Structure formats: structure tokens, C-alpha cells
């Protein structure tokens, strides 16, 4: 899946995560800022990576600002940002979230 | 060594500091001896001086212990005024022993530590930049955290020997009779400071309001005071306590509050003349509202309310639903103002409130306590001291003390953001599970298995959703996942005392 533009999804509200996805050429690079980075940093990165790979993105730069989001929220925001970045929002791929 | 709540305590530190591990919540009937302060005899008609610097030079030496109270909360000007001079005068190796530390004091404490002025601290708690500084190893000697009742006990027994107490007051007469109820910066009860006034070798009052002799009611008495220092402004009235207390609109907190009220009114303690203590959190305030309605409906009045007092509680006094308030501290302007006009709102000192080594403290007469928690584990141990990142950000306050109530209820949401509140094992044990009876979360109510009587009483009430605490822990884990364990260094940055002075847990330096 080709990234065409920068895609953003999510807010900076408590229990949400804001994900920004842009073009990259060295695998999935995640810059994560989180209040719970010590306890859940690895898990958050894993959910973002898994979601992108399931959607068919292998190279991307990801900037994530987490405010304590649960895994289901992280996956949903990642998918929305990815679909905006690939300009495919008109065909929601909700199957990725299963 | 391991103590009775299964915490590993550092052997070397324990023996160096001659500390004992926590054993039991039962205080028993030991015989103890109280110390007496030095008295510098004077006729003392006029103790007013203008120079705080002169007073410090006359009373303070390197290595001494200084104390303050925190009744001005974030409106405190006394602490920074005194510490500025102490730092300027180049004192070293002081022990800081305030009743607690509020955020407005943080920068000054850090500066004093960095300059070697303060080398030891005992306090009820610390938050913000200071908690972060200590948790990252900023102070060489471990901080000793004590509850309000334990601080009173430690001062009475000489474990904390206060050399100079600097006590800010909103009024005083020239001889040192003072209270917290009149002036520009009123805070109501002087409960924590009364112990310092009674036991410190030197008692220095700071006030912006010197009034005619004799000043009554005299919470602090002329018999106790060495100097009265006149300052421009002692506190910021707007920052002492919140103004009008607003009730929470958070549906989760309201649900918890309603459940807590159900627990109270269905307990064997809810009858004419019962007593209770609530905290100042959103859910606790809402409990007061639900409880008020139940008491009106059932025609029941309470003999007393205890603790840190808020306006919703003084409203109950005005309505006659509560007969007396036993008041060690006021959390808002309404409660502070109420003390001045209502003789049934009795000022109590920290010893009367909660000292375990007493001929009875008010907490021993308490039926129901409603307390909060940062974390509670499946053994009902409660943490109110360290955050989910392991950093110091809280205070014991009266938590361990009020937990002596006949029924202690912890209120907490199941999770906060991505952090579980109900966990397999708390980061820091502050209040032992043996003194906790009921946990109320929005997802269910757990009862300590040791309280078979409560389990039996509550299982007859169909409205109460009683669950096992491990079930709550698993619900929380299912929602947020399993966190990676926090990493600490071997260095102990703080000791948590139980109210009898034994060590219930330690806090280690966080690894970054």
C-alpha cells in the first residue's frame, strides 16, 4: 500500500491517541510519546506495527502521542490515519481491526 | 527482611536506622513515655519582633530540626519566607519536619537540598517536582513518610525532636495567643500545628495581623510561644482552599458515590448516632450528598463527622444532621469560615485526631471512613503514595489513621486511563489490607474476606453487586492489558512508616 500524503487521526484528549503517518523507506519507524511509556510503550508500538502490516504498509514514519488509549483505540486510530495517508478513506477496511 | 505485608526491606538501612518491620494493625496496650520541650522562661508580655533573620540567628544551629504546618496549603507564604533566609544565612544539615509539603514549597525545598541546607526530610507526602526530584535520587538520605497521627506520636515520643517550629497564623496577639479563624488568610483548624506549638523547643509565630491582647479563642497559647514575627503578608487567601465546592458531574464518580452510600446505609453501623469521615475527592463529596438524603429519609442523625472538613459536611452540621464536627483541617473556605461561627465544630489537634499511642484518639471512635486510593491490590493493601510510574506523588495524610474505622471503604474507579487501579500487587503499600473492609468500584463491590459479618449483611441486599476482588483485578487487566514491571535501582529514596513507627514499605529510586 503506497503512502501518498500525511494522514492524521485521533486527538490529545485523555484515553485517546493521536497518530500521524507519513512516507518512510526504512520499515515502520515509530516515535512514541506516552504517559504510560514505561509500562505499555512496547505494547503500543506492537499494536501500531501490527495494524499497519495487516493493512499492507511495510514502510512508514509514525508519530504517536498517547494519552492512555486502550489497544482497540490505538488500532482504530492507526487504521484511520493509514487510510488517510494512502487516500483510501472512501473504502474503510474495518476487517483490519478484527 | 520481609515484613507482614510481604515487602522486602533493606536490612542494612533497617539496622542502621534502628527500624522495625511492620507487624500488625493492632496497637495493643504498650506503656510509652512522652518527652517535654525546653522552656526559655520569660514574662512575655510582648514577643513581637520585626526581624525574622534575627530570630533565626538566635534560635537555629546547623544540624537542627525545623518544622512548619501546611494549613495554608498552596496559599502559603510562611515557608518560602523562612527558607529563603535560612538558605541565605548558609545553614547546613537541617532536618525538615513539616506536617506536609505543598506544591508551592517544592522549588525552595529542592534549592535547599542542592545547597546542603536540608539533608533529611520527614513529611506526610510530596508531589510534583519535589516528588520527581526525590524519586530520581536527589536527596541522599531516605525521606521518612508518616501519617498525621504518626507524626503526632513521633513528636510526643521524641522520634522527631523539633528544635524550631515556624508557624504561620492569620492572627496573634503580642503574647502569642493565636488561631486560624480570623484575618485575611484564614484556614480554620490549626490541628497539625498545635503539636509543634506544644512540643518544639522554640516556637516562632509569623503573622500579618497583630491584634489586641488577649486574643481568643487561643488555639496556640502564649505559654507556648517564644517570638511573634510581623510579616507583610502571611498567605494568599484565594489559594488556601478551593472556593465553592462543586459536585462532580462525572457519571462514573456519581455511580461510585451512590454505591458507597448503599454500602453505608445497608451496614450495621448506619443507625442513630453513627459517625463518619469522608475525604475531599469528587466521589467522597458526592457521597456526602447521597448520605444526606438517606439520613433525611430515614430520620437518622450522626453524632460526629471527622477529619479534613469540607463545606458539604458543615452544611450537614447547619441542618442538624450531624451533631458535631471534629476538625483537624479544613479543605475549603466554607468549612474554615464555619469554624469561627459554630461552636459544635470542634478544633482537634493531630494527636487527639489520630495518634495511635494515646489514651484513645477520635479515629478509634469512628464508624465509617471513606478513603481513596491510587492503587489497591488483591490483598486489599492500598497505595496513596506512588504513581503508576513509581514516582512519589501523594501523601499518607490521615489514610492509615482513619482506616481504623469500624468499616473502612475505599472508593476507586477500576481503571484510570490505561492504568489499572485494582492490581495484583501495589507499587507501594501505605495502608495495610487488614484495616480495609470494602472496595467500591463502578464495576462492583469487593469485601475483605476477613469481614464475614459484612459479607453476610451485604449479600442480603439485592442492589449491591458483590464480587471477589480478584475478579475486579482481572476485569481491569482485561481492559488495559498487563503492564511491563517498573524498573528501580537498589537505592532506597523513601521509607513508609506505619502509624506505630514500624516500616511498612520502601520506595526505590526509579530507573530512566
Amino acid at each position: 500500500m503506497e503512502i501518498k500524503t500525511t494522514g492524521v487521526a485521533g486527538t490529545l484528549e485523555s484515553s485517546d491517541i493521536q497518530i500521524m503517518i507519513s512516507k518512510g523507506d526504512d520499515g515502520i519507524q515509530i516515535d512514541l510519546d506516552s504517559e504510560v511509556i514505561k509500562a505499555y510503550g512496547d505494547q503500543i508500538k506492537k499494536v501500531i506495527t501490527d495494524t499497519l502490516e495487516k493493512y499492507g504498509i511495510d514502510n512508514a514514519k509514525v508519530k504517536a502521542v498517547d494519552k492512555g488509549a486502550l489497544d482497540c483505540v490505538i488500532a482504530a486510530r492507526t487504521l484511520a490515519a493509514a487510510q488517510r495517508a494512502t487516500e483510501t478513506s472512501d473504502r474503510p477496511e474495518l476487517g483490519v481491526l478484527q | 527482611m520481609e515484613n507482614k505485608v510481604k515487602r522486602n526491606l533493606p536490612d542494612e538501612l533497617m539496622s542502621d536506622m534502628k527500624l522495625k518491620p511492620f507487624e500488625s494493625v493492632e496497637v495493643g496496650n504498650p506503656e510509652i513515655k512522652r518527652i517535654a520541650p525546653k522552656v526559655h522562661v520569660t514574662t512575655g508580655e510582648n514577643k513581637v519582633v520585626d526581624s525574622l533573620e534575627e530570630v533565626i540567628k538566635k534560635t537555629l544551629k546547623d544540624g537542627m530540626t525545623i518544622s512548619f504546618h501546611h494549613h495554608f496549603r498552596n496559599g502559603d507564604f510562611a515557608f518560602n519566607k523562612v527558607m529563603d533566609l535560612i538558605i541565605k544565612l548558609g545553614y547546613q544539615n537541617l532536618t525538615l519536619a513539616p506536617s506536609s509539603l505543598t506544591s508551592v514549597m517544592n522549588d525552595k525545598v529542592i534549592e535547599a537540598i542542592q545547597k546542603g541546607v536540608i539533608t533529611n526530610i520527614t513529611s506526610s507526602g510530596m508531589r510534583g517536582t519535589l516528588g520527581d526530584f526525590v524519586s530520581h535520587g536527589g536527596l541522599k538520605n531516605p525521606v521518612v513518610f508518616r501519617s498525621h497521627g504518626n507524626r503526632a506520636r513521633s513528636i510526643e515520643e521524641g522520634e522527631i525532636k523539633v528544635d524550631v517550629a515556624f508557624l504561620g497564623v492569620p492572627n496573634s496577639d503580642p503574647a502569642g495567643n493565636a488561631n486560624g479563624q480570623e484575618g485575611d488568610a484564614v484556614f480554620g483548624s490549626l490541628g497539625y500545628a498545635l503539636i509543634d506549638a506544644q512540643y518544639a523547643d522554640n516556637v516562632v509565630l509569623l503573622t500579618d495581623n497583630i491584634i489586641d491582647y488577649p486574643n481568643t479563642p487561643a488555639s496556640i497559647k502564649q505559654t507556648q510561644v517564644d517570638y511573634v514575627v510581623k510579616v507583610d503578608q502571611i498567605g494568599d487567601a484565594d489559594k488556601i482552599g478551593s472556593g465553592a465546592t462543586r459536585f462532580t458531574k462525572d457519571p462514573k464518580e456519581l455511580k461510585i458515590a451512590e454505591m458507597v452510600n448503599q454500602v453505608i446505609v445497608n451496614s450495621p453501623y448506619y443507625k442513630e448516632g453513627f459517625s463518619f469521615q469522608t475525604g475531599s475527592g469528587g466521589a467522597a463529596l458526592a457521597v456526602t450528598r447521597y448520605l444526606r438524603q438517606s439520613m433525611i429519609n430515614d430520620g437518622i442523625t450522626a453524632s460526629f463527622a471527622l477529619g479534613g472538613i469540607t463545606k458539604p459536611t458543615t452544611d450537614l452540621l447547619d441542618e442538624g444532621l450531624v451533631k458535631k464536627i471534629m476538625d483537624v483541617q479544613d479543605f475549603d473556605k466554607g468549612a474554615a469560615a464555619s469554624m469561627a461561627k459554630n461552636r459544635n465544630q470542634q478544633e482537634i489537634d493531630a494527636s487527639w485526631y489520630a495518634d495511635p499511642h494515646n489514651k484513645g484518639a477520635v479515629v478509634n471512635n469512628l464508624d465509617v471512613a471513606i478513603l481513596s486510593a491510587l492503587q489497591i491490590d488483591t490483598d486489599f493493601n492500598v497505595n496513596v503514595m506512588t504513581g503508576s510510574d513509581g514516582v512519589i506523588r501523594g501523601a499518607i495524610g490521615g489514610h492509615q489513621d482513619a482506616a481504623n474505622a469500624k468499616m473502612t471503604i475505599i472508593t476507586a474507579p477500576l481503571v484510570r486511563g490505561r492504568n489499572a487501579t485494582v492490581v495484583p500487587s501495589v507499587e507501594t503499600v501505605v495502608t495495610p489490607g487488614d484495616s480495609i473492609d470494602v472496595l467500591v468500584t463502578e464495576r462492583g463491590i469487593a469485601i475483605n474476606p476477613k469481614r464475614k459479618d459484612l459479607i453476610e449483611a451485604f449479600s442480603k441486599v439485592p442492589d449491591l453487586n458483590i464480587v471477589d476482588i480478584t475478579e475486579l483485578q482481572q476485569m481491569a487487566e482485561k481492559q488495559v492489558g498487563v503492564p511491563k514491571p517498573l524498573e528501580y535501582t537498589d537505592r532506597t529514596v523513601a521509607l513508609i512508616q506505619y502509624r506505630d513507627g514500624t516500616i511498612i514499605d520502601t520506595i526505590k529510586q526509579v530507573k530512566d
Side-chain angles (χ1 to χ4, degrees):
Chain A
M1 195 71 74
E2 190 199 344
I3 293 176
K4 294 180 175 154
T5 181
T6 298
V8 184
T11 70
L12 300 176
E13 295 293 318
S14 179
S15 295
D16 201 350
I17 184 169
Q18 191 171 66
I19 305 252
M20 193 197 296
I21 295 176
S22 51
K23 236 176 220 169
D25 47 21
D26 186 21
I28 291 168
Q29 302 279 329
I30 302 171
D31 173 11
L32 173 65
D33 178 6
S34 171
E35 294 164 357
V36 290
I37 198 157
K38 279 188 199 168
Y40 292 105
D42 293 346
Q43 173 66 10
I44 294 168
K45 286 181 183 171
K46 183 175 182 298
V47 172
I48 293 171
T49 307
D50 288 354
T51 306
L52 291 178
E53 284 175 352
K54 263 171 100 176
Y55 191 59
I57 293 175
D58 299 318
N59 292 296
K61 275 188 189 145
V62 180
K63 169 74 193 161
V65 182
D66 170 57
K67 298 286 175 186
L70 300 177
D71 286 352
C72 51
V73 176
I74 298 167
R77 294 303 195 191
T78 304
L79 176 63
Q83 292 218 263
R84 283 168 191 164
T86 52
E87 294 180 346
T88 56
S89 301
D90 54 330
R91 300 182 299 278
E93 289 283 350
L94 298 182
V96 168
L97 300 177
Q98 252 103 74
Chain B
M1 71 182 80
E2 197 182 80
N3 67 10
K4 284 283 155 59
V5 285
K6 294 178 234 161
R7 296 285 151 153
N8 253 312
L9 306 177
D11 291 308
E12 202 177 324
L13 197 63
M14 293 292 288
S15 72
D16 285 356
M17 294 178 74
K18 299 188 178 68
L19 299 166
K20 292 196 179 100
F22 166 76
E23 285 279 338
S24 164
V25 297
E26 300 297 334
V27 174
N29 308 97
E31 260 185 19
I32 56 105
K33 183 100 180 157
R34 290 188 180 161
I35 59 143
K38 254 183 217 154
V39 176
H40 313 276
V41 175
T42 152
T43 53
E45 298 104 286
N46 188 357
K47 299 165 186 168
V48 180
V49 290
D50 288 327
S51 172
L52 179 57
E53 185 169 329
E54 287 307 311
V55 171
I56 293 171
K57 282 186 192 161
K58 264 190 232 170
T59 54
L60 192 62
K61 291 191 183 68
D62 286 351
M64 281 187 164
T65 296
I66 54 175
S67 80
F68 300 84
H69 68 71
H70 71 293
H71 287 290
F72 286 111
R73 299 147 65 78
N74 278 321
D76 189 293
F77 289 174
F79 183 83
N80 288 344
K81 265 188 222 296
V82 173
M83 284 311 301
D84 265 338
L85 283 168
I86 289 178
I87 292 169
K88 188 189 108 184
L89 292 169
Y91 283 97
Q92 294 281 295
N93 295 322
L94 300 177
T95 294
L96 178 64
S99 53
S100 197
L101 291 162
T102 61
S103 304
V104 72
M105 306 168 187
N106 283 358
D107 291 350
K108 202 57 65 186
V109 178
I110 293 172
E111 184 189 343
I113 293 170
Q114 285 169 335
K115 291 180 173 164
V117 178
I118 291 171
T119 46
N120 284 283
I121 298 178
T122 178
S123 175
S124 159
M126 51 178 64
R127 295 189 166 85
T129 50
L130 179 59
D132 214 46
F133 179 81
V134 169
S135 269
H136 285 87
L139 181 67
K140 187 164 156 268
N141 299 315
V143 172
V144 181
F145 287 114
R146 290 174 160 101
S147 74
H148 293 317
N150 183 25
R151 179 176 189 267
R153 182 199 62 76
S154 301
I155 290 175
E156 288 169 348
E157 292 175 25
E159 286 166 32
I160 301 173
K161 178 76 202 81
V162 178
D163 295 296
V164 193
F166 296 97
L167 307 175
V169 280
N171 61 68
S172 172
D173 67 29
N177 295 299
N179 64 55
Q181 299 161 40
E182 276 171 62
D184 292 333
V186 296
F187 46 72
S189 176
L190 257 167
Y192 304 133
L194 297 180
I195 303 298
D196 304 64
Q198 197 181 342
Y199 282 92
D201 279 350
N202 293 281
V203 176
V204 181
L205 297 188
L206 293 91
T207 188
D208 52 10
N209 181 24
I210 296 186
I211 58 180
D212 290 344
Y213 182 89
N215 178 23
T216 61
S219 303
I220 293 175
K221 296 169 188 64
Q222 66 183 97
T223 54
Q224 304 168 323
V225 176
D226 293 281
Y227 299 96
V228 179
V229 181
K230 176 86 168 68
V231 297
D232 294 338
Q233 203 185 351
I234 193 63
D236 179 347
D238 290 333
K239 290 184 181 159
I240 293 174
S242 49
T245 311
R246 275 197 210 99
F247 279 115
T248 180
K249 286 181 181 155
D250 181 337
K252 205 195 280 181
E253 283 188 337
L254 287 173
K255 183 172 184 204
I256 292 171
E258 205 175 351
M259 290 165 78
V260 170
N261 188 52
Q262 284 300 311
V263 168
I264 296 171
V265 300
N266 285 294
S267 76
Y269 307 106
Y270 181 66
K271 54 188 180 210
E272 181 57 30
F274 82 112
S275 58
F276 63 91
Q277 169 163 352
T278 61
S280 60
L285 288 171
V287 171
T288 312
R289 178 165 55 165
Y290 289 113
L291 186 58
R292 171 182 174 274
Q293 197 55 53
S294 295
M295 289 165 74
I296 292 171
N297 294 348
D298 302 331
I300 283 180
T301 59
S303 55
F304 71 92
L306 175 64
I309 302 299
T310 55
K311 182 153 190 305
T313 306
T314 60
D315 286 347
L316 296 183
L317 185 69
D318 291 339
E319 287 183 86
L321 291 170
V322 166
K323 294 218 171 71
K324 305 259 179 171
I325 290 178
M326 303 299 267
D327 186 343
V328 73
Q329 173 184 21
D330 294 289
F331 284 130
D332 59 34
K333 279 181 188 167
S338 167
M339 173 169 271
K341 57 177 202 250
N342 201 330
R343 60 183 286 271
N344 288 324
Q345 188 171 342
Q346 169 70 47
E347 181 177 54
I348 59 173
D349 67 42
S351 178
W352 188 1
Y353 168 49
D355 176 3
H357 286 180
N358 230 340
K359 300 177 186 178
V362 188
V363 289
N364 299 116
N365 292 59
L366 185 62
D367 288 327
V368 180
I370 300 145
L371 302 169
S372 61
L374 291 171
Q375 291 178 318
I376 179 166
D377 66 27
T378 47
D379 290 328
F380 287 84
N381 296 316
V382 174
N383 170 21
V384 288
M385 188 53 79
T386 50
S388 57
D389 53 359
V391 172
I392 298 166
R393 48 163 288 186
I396 305 178
H399 204 284
Q400 296 170 342
D401 305 310
N404 267 273
K406 295 180 181 73
M407 180 171 75
T408 300
I409 303 169
I410 299 292
T411 67
L414 191 70
V415 301
R416 289 189 179 94
R418 196 171 181 158
N419 295 313
T421 309
V422 189
V423 295
S425 177
V426 290
E427 282 306 311
T428 309
V429 181
V430 172
T431 301
D434 275 355
S435 56
I436 306 299
D437 302 301
V438 183
L439 164 66
V440 178
T441 75
E442 77 278 16
R443 300 289 294 275
I445 299 163
I447 304 165
N448 192 325
K450 288 179 183 157
R451 291 302 304 267
K452 295 204 167 57
D453 57 327
L454 291 180
I455 294 171
E456 204 192 315
F458 292 146
S459 55
K460 289 177 192 148
V461 185
D463 287 351
L464 295 179
N465 175 24
I466 309 290
V467 292
D468 195 284
I469 194 163
T470 53
E471 223 176 288
L472 289 175
Q473 185 270 318
Q474 283 157 8
M475 269 186 229
E477 192 174 288
K478 199 174 160 215
Q479 203 171 325
V480 300
V482 181
K484 213 167 102 183
L486 297 178
E487 290 185 60
Y488 299 95
T489 72
D490 286 340
R491 189 165 150 212
T492 303
V493 295
L495 301 162
I496 313 282
Q497 283 194 357
Y498 187 60
R499 50 204 301 266
D500 61 359
T502 58
I503 303 300
I504 191 152
D505 207 350
T506 60
I507 301 173
K508 300 283 183 193
Q509 182 180 339
V510 291
K511 237 187 215 177
D512 273 330

